Amino acid sequence: MEGDYFLLKGKCLNENSTIGILAPASPEKENFINNKLSLFKSLCFSNIKLGKHLYNKHDYLAGNDKDRASDINDMFNDDSIDGIICFRGG
Protein backbone atom coordinates (compact mmCIF):
# COMPACT_ATOMS: atom_id res chain seq x y z
CA MET A 1 0.00 0.00 0.00
CA GLU A 2 2.52 2.51 -1.13
CA GLY A 3 1.58 6.07 -0.24
CA ASP A 4 -0.95 5.04 2.42
CA TYR A 5 -0.40 6.34 5.92
CA PHE A 6 -1.74 4.92 9.14
CA LEU A 7 -2.39 6.81 12.34
CA LEU A 8 -1.33 5.10 15.54
CA LYS A 9 -3.09 6.32 18.66
CA GLY A 10 -1.86 5.82 22.16
CA LYS A 11 -3.94 4.86 25.17
CA CYS A 12 -6.35 7.35 26.69
CA LEU A 13 -4.96 8.36 30.06
CA ASN A 14 -7.04 8.68 33.21
CA GLU A 15 -6.45 9.06 36.95
CA ASN A 16 -5.55 5.36 37.22
CA SER A 17 -2.94 5.55 34.46
CA THR A 18 0.74 5.25 35.24
CA ILE A 19 2.95 7.89 33.68
CA GLY A 20 6.70 7.51 33.26
CA ILE A 21 8.72 10.72 33.40
CA LEU A 22 12.32 11.04 32.22
CA ALA A 23 14.83 13.53 30.82
CA PRO A 24 16.36 12.18 27.59
CA ALA A 25 18.15 15.35 26.53
CA SER A 26 19.01 18.53 28.42
CA PRO A 27 18.78 18.66 32.20
CA GLU A 28 16.19 20.60 34.14
CA LYS A 29 16.66 22.22 37.52
CA GLU A 30 15.41 20.21 40.49
CA ASN A 31 12.84 22.90 41.34
CA PHE A 32 11.41 22.79 37.80
CA ILE A 33 11.10 19.00 37.89
CA ASN A 34 9.46 19.01 41.31
CA ASN A 35 7.00 21.73 40.28
CA LYS A 36 5.98 19.78 37.18
CA LEU A 37 5.59 16.58 39.20
CA SER A 38 3.28 18.48 41.55
CA LEU A 39 1.32 19.72 38.54
CA PHE A 40 0.80 16.19 37.22
CA LYS A 41 -0.35 15.05 40.66
CA SER A 42 -2.78 17.98 40.84
CA LEU A 43 -4.24 16.78 37.52
CA CYS A 44 -5.07 13.45 39.25
CA PHE A 45 -2.08 11.56 37.85
CA SER A 46 -0.84 10.07 41.10
CA ASN A 47 0.77 6.96 39.60
CA ILE A 48 4.07 8.35 38.41
CA LYS A 49 7.30 6.44 37.79
CA LEU A 50 10.44 8.52 37.51
CA GLY A 51 13.41 7.67 35.37
CA LYS A 52 16.27 6.56 37.63
CA HIS A 53 18.42 9.36 36.25
CA LEU A 54 15.81 12.14 35.98
CA TYR A 55 17.80 14.52 38.18
CA ASN A 56 21.22 13.74 36.68
CA LYS A 57 23.39 16.27 34.90
CA HIS A 58 26.44 15.59 32.74
CA ASP A 59 27.83 18.65 30.98
CA TYR A 60 24.89 20.04 28.98
CA LEU A 61 22.94 16.74 29.08
CA ALA A 62 20.65 15.11 31.63
CA GLY A 63 23.17 12.41 32.53
CA ASN A 64 25.50 10.30 30.46
CA ASP A 65 24.36 8.55 27.29
CA LYS A 66 24.14 5.11 28.89
CA ASP A 67 21.96 6.31 31.77
CA ARG A 68 19.58 8.32 29.56
CA ALA A 69 19.21 5.38 27.15
CA SER A 70 18.62 3.07 30.10
CA ASP A 71 15.78 5.30 31.35
CA ILE A 72 14.08 5.31 27.94
CA ASN A 73 14.42 1.55 27.52
CA ASP A 74 13.17 0.92 31.07
CA MET A 75 10.05 2.99 30.38
CA PHE A 76 9.22 1.19 27.12
CA ASN A 77 9.86 -2.22 28.69
CA ASP A 78 7.65 -1.55 31.72
CA ASP A 79 4.16 -2.87 30.90
CA SER A 80 2.65 -0.93 33.80
CA ILE A 81 3.44 2.42 32.17
CA ASP A 82 0.58 3.85 30.10
CA GLY A 83 2.27 7.03 28.89
CA ILE A 84 5.71 8.63 28.87
CA ILE A 85 6.50 12.30 29.44
CA CYS A 86 9.93 13.60 28.46
CA PHE A 87 11.35 16.76 29.97
CA ARG A 88 13.25 18.68 27.31
CA GLY A 89 13.85 17.10 23.99
CA GLY A 90 11.42 14.23 24.18
Side-chain angles (χ1 to χ4, degrees):
M1 293 209 232
E2 192 173 327
D4 288 341
Y5 297 94
F6 298 94
L7 176 65
L8 298 176
K9 292 176 90 175
K11 296 179 182 178
C12 289
L13 301 178
N14 60 50
E15 65 274 356
N16 295 318
S17 299
T18 299
I19 298 175
I21 298 180
L22 59 109
S26 301
E28 291 290 358
K29 293 183 179 171
E30 187 173 341
N31 257 1
F32 177 88
I33 294 171
N34 293 336
N35 287 338
K36 296 305 175 191
L37 293 175
S38 294
L39 175 63
F40 283 112
K41 290 176 183 176
S42 76
L43 295 171
C44 296
F45 292 112
S46 57
N47 300 325
I48 296 174
K49 288 192 175 184
L50 304 180
K52 294 175 191 158
H53 306 97
L54 178 64
Y55 293 95
N56 287 12
K57 183 176 180 183
H58 179 72
D59 293 327
Y60 63 93
L61 297 171
N64 66 45
D65 294 343
K66 181 180 175 186
D67 290 342
R68 290 181 296 119
S70 172
D71 279 356
I72 290 171
N73 287 322
D74 288 348
M75 294 290 174
F76 279 108
N77 287 320
D78 187 335
D79 291 334
S80 72
I81 294 178
D82 300 301
I84 298 172
I85 305 286
C86 298
F87 287 143
R88 284 269 187 105

